[in-house]
Amino acid sequence: MGAIVFNLTTAALMVLMFKCGLTLVGEDTLRRRPIPWAAVGVTAVAVGGVVLQHSWSGAMDALDSDPRRSGWWRVVTSVFMQNGGFFGALWNIVTLAAMAALAQWFWRGPLMLVLFAAGILLPEHIDALFGGTSRSTDPRNFAGSSGATYFLAATLASALLLTTTDTRQRLLALCVPAAGLAMWLAQDNGHGLVSVYGFALGAAALPLARRIARPAPAGEAEA
């Protein structure tokens, strides 16, 4: 029962962030937007990782983030390995594709890639900053794209909070860090914690993004 509740709350948080992203870019504008090629590229790499797993028996040993093995590349390559079986891999790839597309349409391609990379590289360093230096010994945590996807998705929630004047939309956005923190405290659910990190980075990135390259608002196609 605990595993079912864990999975349901994890999925609910993603649905919440997807709703934030959809509200941010404008659901009625999606048909007019260009193909988000950077998001397509990230998704293609994730699909390629799954193909590699099933065609090379040593892929996980060589590319996962098992702390007992050395390899500087593991923190990156492990994100493109999947460890939740067929349905887990499908969920991870579909949510990555959807959130990367929404993020590209708002942040634009280069910044979306930077934020996704931050979702790969930053969480363990932030954990260490707050004293969480222990590495998981559960093999289920040695691979998977969900952490980076939840981090990226949460940046859209903070962007919605800071760009809308609609009270209901602001409350929707604020539900993301609130739910993420509750999931972390109640379930030790890392998806919730990285969502809080992503929300904070999105809030920090928005002023800089506005100065460097204005994010695309609802109704405006990416140049």
Side-chain angles (χ1 to χ4, degrees):
M1 179 56 100
I4 294 174
V5 173
F6 184 98
N7 290 335
L8 287 176
T9 55
T10 302
L13 179 59
M14 174 52 68
V15 172
L16 179 62
M17 293 189 292
F18 177 76
K19 180 63 175 176
C20 287
L22 206 57
T23 301
L24 182 65
V25 303
E27 184 174 359
D28 59 342
T29 72
L30 297 187
R31 292 182 181 276
R32 301 195 303 271
R33 292 181 178 272
I35 296 173
W37 288 112
V40 171
V42 169
T43 306
V45 174
V47 172
V50 173
V51 172
L52 183 64
Q53 281 179 252
H54 289 85
S55 59
W56 176 29
S57 61
M60 287 295 280
D61 288 341
L63 302 173
D64 72 4
S65 63
D66 187 340
R68 297 169 299 180
R69 299 189 174 101
S70 61
W72 59 265
W73 61 87
R74 293 179 180 275
V75 66
V76 176
T77 56
S78 62
V79 171
F80 299 101
M81 303 285 102
Q82 304 297 341
N83 58 358
F86 174 80
F87 290 107
L90 182 63
W91 168 262
N92 282 355
I93 290 173
V94 168
T95 54
L96 172 59
M99 298 315 305
L102 291 172
Q104 180 171 350
W105 285 325
F106 179 75
W107 294 113
R108 304 190 189 276
L111 187 52
M112 182 278 286
L113 294 174
V114 169
L115 292 171
F116 183 71
I120 296 173
L121 300 173
L122 287 185
E124 64 178 287
H125 296 292
I126 300 174
D127 289 346
L129 185 64
F130 290 101
T133 56
S134 61
R135 293 288 303 277
S136 171
T137 57
D138 186 340
R140 291 173 298 180
N141 294 327
F142 294 167
S145 59
S146 60
T149 301
Y150 276 66
F151 185 103
L152 178 64
T155 67
L156 296 175
S158 56
L160 178 63
L161 175 67
L162 296 175
T163 57
T164 186
T165 57
D166 186 286
T167 300
R168 289 176 297 179
Q169 292 178 3
R170 286 182 169 178
L171 289 174
L172 177 70
L174 283 171
C175 284
V176 169
L181 189 58
M183 288 165 56
W184 169 248
L185 294 175
Q187 302 174 319
D188 197 25
N189 190 331
H191 296 91
L193 188 60
V194 297
S195 297
V196 174
Y197 294 163
F199 188 90
L201 185 62
L206 186 61
L208 180 61
R210 281 172 167 165
R211 298 184 68 174
I212 297 175
R214 180 172 56 90
E220 178 181 314
E222 182 184 8

